[in-house]
Amino acid sequence: MGRQGRQHLRLGWALLGLAAGTVLWMRGAGVAAGWVWSAAALPVALHVAAGLWRSLRGGRPGVDVIALAAMLAAVATGEAATAAVIAVMVAGGEALEAWAGARAGSALADLLARTPRRAQRLEGERLEDIPVAAIRPGDLLLVRPGDTVPADGLLADGAATLDLRALTGESLPVALARGAAVQSGAVNAGPAFRLRASHDAAGSTYAAIIRLTEAATASRAPLTRLADRWAVAFVLFTALVAGGAWLATGDPLRALAVLVVATPCPLILAAPVALMAGIGRAARRGIIVKDAGALEQLAGIRTVVFDKTGTLTPGRPALATVDAEPALGRAGALRLAASLAQGSAHPVSTALRDAALEQGMALAPPEAVQETPGGGLRGVVEGRTVLLGGEAYLRDAGLAPAPGFGPDAALAGLGGLVAWLGVDGQVAAAFVLSDTPRPEAARAVRQLRALGLRRLVLLSGDRQAAALAVGRALRLDAVLAEQSPANKIEALRAEAAAAPTAMVGDGVNDAPALAAAQVGIAMGAAGTAAAAEAAGIVLLVDRVDRVAEAIAIARRSRGIALRAIGLGMGASVAAMLPAAAGLLPPLQGALLQEGIDVLAILFALTALRPGRAERRPAALPALAGLAERMAEHAALRSLAEMIRATAERMRAEQAEPATLAALLRQLQEQLLPHQQTEERMLYPAAAQRLGSEAMTALVRMHAEIEILTGRIATALRLAEEGVPWPALIPSLRRTLFALEALLQLHLVAEEDVLAGLEDDGEAAARPGPAALPVPAVAR
């Protein structure tokens, strides 16, 4: 008989004994009734005693000692009916906890129940029914309507419709095209399709999810241990009250009544039920929490550290801009490069091919393609000799970038990488590629700020320029670049020393940091297995904005657990006073305590429902400053005119580096501090009244202005390093014109958006949409 069966048997025995004893007592057989009631309590008392002994041997305090003492004291004082009621209360509490845990963990149970056992493998024209353990990479599988995908693979048919609800929480089916990656665990919501397996079943996404789920169902939370410690103090307090009532009155029934109402079932049950409910709630949103301890720790996080590649960015370079010789043109350069790139699987080649195909270009077949690992490509496209690779690769081939577009590419590629194109012995174009932030990354940062996170940090092994570009765009507090795995651990320890810290990552190099962090959050169960195994929390859906949702769920679950404990224990303490005064007899006290148990557990189950923070981030306090900020706009308009005048002088080649350096100082001393003050003092107040989305465009304009200013600083540095000034002028002129136009547009847009916002800050006190908090710029 399983554990649940034994729980039901004890509860049934206690209920039957209580009912039978009551019938005997009503017929006048009081002695027989006492024996029956005592027999009803005996198995429960033995069960509690055994559990108490195991707890003490395991070094954990025994929280059931009051219940055991109450049952034994009830039998000893002739209150056998009270002992039977306490037995029903304890057995019923355990059964209620099991039911509540089953309901709270239903999402986890759904994942386990949907584990595929059989698969259909196609062998030529023959369909073979096989166990999922027999699936091997390369097998062609048939997934029928309603079937769960048994292994990761690629869609071999023209289209498929999949239900990803169990994996990601998405409510609508997703349509996929031929060649798309399909995760195991998805349900076929359309016609049958063929799947080419890329992993065996054990190495697929769903198997990893099942392992994580099984770990999540067998945890004992730190909060539960905290409840145990509280229970010890509560036991001592109960003993003092019960003993004091007995000594003061000489009536042992008063001590018994105190013990009965003090039985700490709410303290024992409420915390694990609330935390398991939170784990179930998270699982429905595609967030697997390995253990309840990780959920509780996540609730206290105040700093989040992000990896860059694959976490805040997709990890795939994309074409940002093209700089080409006028005779070839940007479109012609991209077509030649993409045609040659068809002969390589390198990510840069993939990005160029994708960019050309998105523009509808017809690519020519390359000939005689030669690839140098870590260098570049050489081949023939439409009779022309074409080279594609890094600057060193072209220089080794005897090609040097011509003046005019090389510096332009260096400036535009600040934070990205540059691929050079050589055509017929001449450098003809430069392609700037960058790994830009994920579409949802900015939203994730806003949500975390709205939840009150004090510090958001980018921790990356990538180049300083690339990491700074992402940190600036997302308005993070700090950027730590070019970090080795060992350095990442040291950086995490430094952050954790200042505040509770979580680490979010996805790669093999993130696994040590995820394991070292107080809470490790891995992106995607189908990502790197090492990261998923090292982390305490795994996001099944590859979206970084689920981090904020996980924190919101954790905080709500822990808060409900603590309130449920307080509710149950507060009610018990309140009942002790009338019990000690003789106003609450033991039997009535037992019935009252049973009601308190039910109330505490039902309250703990409210963690299954979404909280307010999940529906809408909380607003942050606002500060005044509108009038002062607006008054500075006149000076900024004069600065914009100065920017345009400098650009015009550069067109006539009359502006020297010293002129540009003076302009840069004004930008750094006047414009950038103004923006930072607005973001810190004004924008949160405006967002409370106008909504966070109304301020997003203004913040993005600030980021672009900083990027353009950074390009000017880079140009001056290149000039100091010996780059000819005339070669820098074309790019600088375009940068200055763009900066002037963007600044003028920003001033107008900001004044329109903020029109009518009171300077005294009263708008911040009114209810409205969530604020958009923005930190100081990462440096």
Side-chain angles (χ1 to χ4, degrees), residues 250-433:
D251 185 359
L253 293 181
R254 295 196 182 189
L256 174 61
V258 171
L259 292 176
V260 168
V261 298
T263 302
C265 287
L267 187 60
I268 300 167
L269 305 178
V273 168
L275 293 177
M276 283 303 298
I279 290 176
R281 167 73 186 154
R284 287 190 171 89
R285 297 297 300 154
I287 304 165
I288 290 293
V289 182
K290 287 188 180 180
D291 58 71
L295 188 75
E296 186 190 358
Q297 286 182 315
L298 186 63
I301 290 300
R302 292 296 177 268
T303 298
V304 177
V305 177
F306 295 96
D307 175 50
K308 183 182 79 71
T309 305
T311 301
L312 290 178
T313 67
R316 300 181 300 274
L319 182 62
T321 187
V322 181
D323 195 14
E325 289 284 3
L328 180 61
R330 296 184 179 184
L334 178 58
R335 181 176 177 275
L336 281 177
S339 296
L340 178 62
Q342 294 177 101
S344 171
H346 192 276
V348 171
S349 298
T350 302
L352 293 174
R353 288 197 308 270
D354 291 345
L357 293 174
E358 286 175 3
Q359 297 181 28
M361 294 181 179
L363 303 183
E367 300 175 2
V369 178
Q370 299 177 3
E371 182 170 8
T372 301
L377 292 172
R378 174 191 293 267
V380 178
V381 177
E382 296 178 334
R384 310 181 73 176
T385 301
V386 181
L387 280 74
L388 177 66
E391 183 177 353
Y393 178 72
L394 267 69
R395 289 189 183 277
D396 290 344
L399 282 68
F405 66 85
D408 186 21
L411 293 180
L414 189 64
L417 60 90
V418 180
W420 298 85
L421 179 71
V423 179
D424 294 333
Q426 298 291 328
V427 176
F431 303 95
V432 179
L433 300 103

Side-chain angles (χ1 to χ4, degrees), residues 402-478:
F405 66 85
D408 186 21
L411 293 180
L414 189 64
L417 60 90
V418 180
W420 298 85
L421 179 71
V423 179
D424 294 333
Q426 298 291 328
V427 176
F431 303 95
V432 179
L433 300 103
S434 61
D435 190 14
T436 57
R438 293 172 178 267
E440 77 277 5
R443 179 172 179 265
V445 170
R446 293 198 301 271
Q447 290 175 331
L448 290 169
R449 296 290 186 192
L451 287 171
L453 272 293
R454 299 174 181 173
R455 183 169 168 83
L456 303 179
V457 179
L458 177 59
L459 181 63
S460 175
D462 206 348
R463 296 171 296 112
Q464 180 79 5
L468 280 175
V470 174
R472 181 183 294 113
L474 296 177
R475 325 306 286 171
L476 303 181
D477 296 300

Side-chain angles (χ1 to χ4, degrees), residues 95-119:
L96 185 58
E97 180 188 17
W99 168 81
R103 183 183 171 198
S106 60
L108 303 177
D110 289 344
L111 288 172
L112 295 171
R114 292 174 56 257
T115 305
R117 300 286 188 268
R118 311 289 297 179

Side-chain angles (χ1 to χ4, degrees), residues 377-732:
L377 292 172
R378 174 191 293 267
V380 178
V381 177
E382 296 178 334
R384 310 181 73 176
T385 301
V386 181
L387 280 74
L388 177 66
E391 183 177 353
Y393 178 72
L394 267 69
R395 289 189 183 277
D396 290 344
L399 282 68
F405 66 85
D408 186 21
L411 293 180
L414 189 64
L417 60 90
V418 180
W420 298 85
L421 179 71
V423 179
D424 294 333
Q426 298 291 328
V427 176
F431 303 95
V432 179
L433 300 103
S434 61
D435 190 14
T436 57
R438 293 172 178 267
E440 77 277 5
R443 179 172 179 265
V445 170
R446 293 198 301 271
Q447 290 175 331
L448 290 169
R449 296 290 186 192
L451 287 171
L453 272 293
R454 299 174 181 173
R455 183 169 168 83
L456 303 179
V457 179
L458 177 59
L459 181 63
S460 175
D462 206 348
R463 296 171 296 112
Q464 180 79 5
L468 280 175
V470 174
R472 181 183 294 113
L474 296 177
R475 325 306 286 171
L476 303 181
D477 296 300
V479 174
L480 304 176
E482 302 177 7
Q483 302 289 309
S484 67
N487 290 339
K488 286 185 177 183
I489 292 177
E490 291 301 319
L492 274 172
R493 288 173 178 168
E495 294 292 341
T501 301
M503 169 73 187
V504 187
D506 76 317
V508 172
N509 64 332
D510 298 325
L514 291 171
Q518 289 160 299
V519 180
I521 304 175
M523 293 281 294
T528 304
E533 292 299 326
I537 295 171
V538 179
L539 309 181
L540 303 186
V541 58
D542 196 29
R543 292 181 60 92
V544 71
D545 54 357
R546 293 294 171 93
V547 173
E549 190 170 357
I551 292 175
I553 291 173
R555 289 184 178 180
R556 174 172 166 78
S557 302
R558 188 178 189 277
I560 288 175
L562 292 174
R563 288 194 294 274
I565 290 173
L567 174 68
M569 303 315 296
S572 295
V573 170
M576 284 186 192
L577 299 179
L583 302 177
L584 186 64
L587 184 58
Q588 287 85 337
L591 297 174
L592 175 63
Q593 184 61 40
E594 180 71 16
I596 293 173
D597 293 349
V598 173
L599 181 63
I601 291 176
L602 292 179
F603 179 76
L605 280 175
T606 61
L608 285 169
R609 300 198 303 267
R612 181 179 303 175
E614 296 173 61
R615 295 190 294 265
R616 188 190 73 178
L620 292 183
L623 296 174
L626 176 61
E628 182 181 355
R629 303 282 77 76
M630 294 299 99
E632 295 176 359
H633 278 201
L636 294 180
R637 283 194 166 87
S638 298
L639 180 58
E641 293 298 330
M642 185 182 301
I643 295 171
R644 170 168 284 276
T646 304
E648 294 291 352
R649 292 182 62 188
M650 295 194 75
R651 175 178 292 173
E653 297 187 357
Q654 296 176 349
E656 297 296 329
T659 302
L660 193 65
L663 175 63
L664 178 62
R665 282 195 299 272
Q666 283 198 265
L667 292 173
Q668 293 173 338
E669 296 172 3
Q670 183 177 351
L671 177 58
L672 299 188
H674 168 85
Q675 293 185 165
Q676 293 169 7
T677 302
E678 282 183 329
E679 293 182 6
R680 186 175 64 253
M681 298 180 61
L682 178 60
Y683 283 13
Q688 283 190 317
R689 183 175 183 186
L690 305 176
S692 61
E693 297 303 322
M695 313 308 296
T696 301
L698 298 181
V699 174
R700 184 57 190 266
M701 288 183 186
H702 279 184
E704 290 298 325
I705 287 171
E706 290 177 8
I707 290 172
L708 293 172
T709 303
R711 290 183 182 178
I712 296 172
T714 303
L716 288 172
R717 178 178 55 79
L718 291 175
E720 293 174 355
E721 293 173 356
V723 175
W725 182 247
L728 293 166
I729 286 179
S731 177
L732 274 171

Side-chain angles (χ1 to χ4, degrees), residues 237-248:
F237 174 74
T238 301
L240 290 175
V241 174
W246 190 355
L247 291 175

Side-chain angles (χ1 to χ4, degrees), residues 190-252:
F193 64 86
R194 293 176 303 159
L195 177 77
R196 181 71 65 182
S198 58
H199 296 81
D200 58 20
S204 292
T205 300
Y206 202 65
I209 293 172
I210 295 303
R211 289 193 294 270
L212 297 174
T213 301
E214 289 173 339
T217 58
S219 64
R220 191 168 195 267
L223 186 63
T224 308
R225 290 193 292 271
L226 180 62
D228 291 340
R229 293 195 296 270
W230 286 351
V232 170
F234 187 72
V235 167
L236 296 177
F237 174 74
T238 301
L240 290 175
V241 174
W246 190 355
L247 291 175
T249 64
D251 185 359

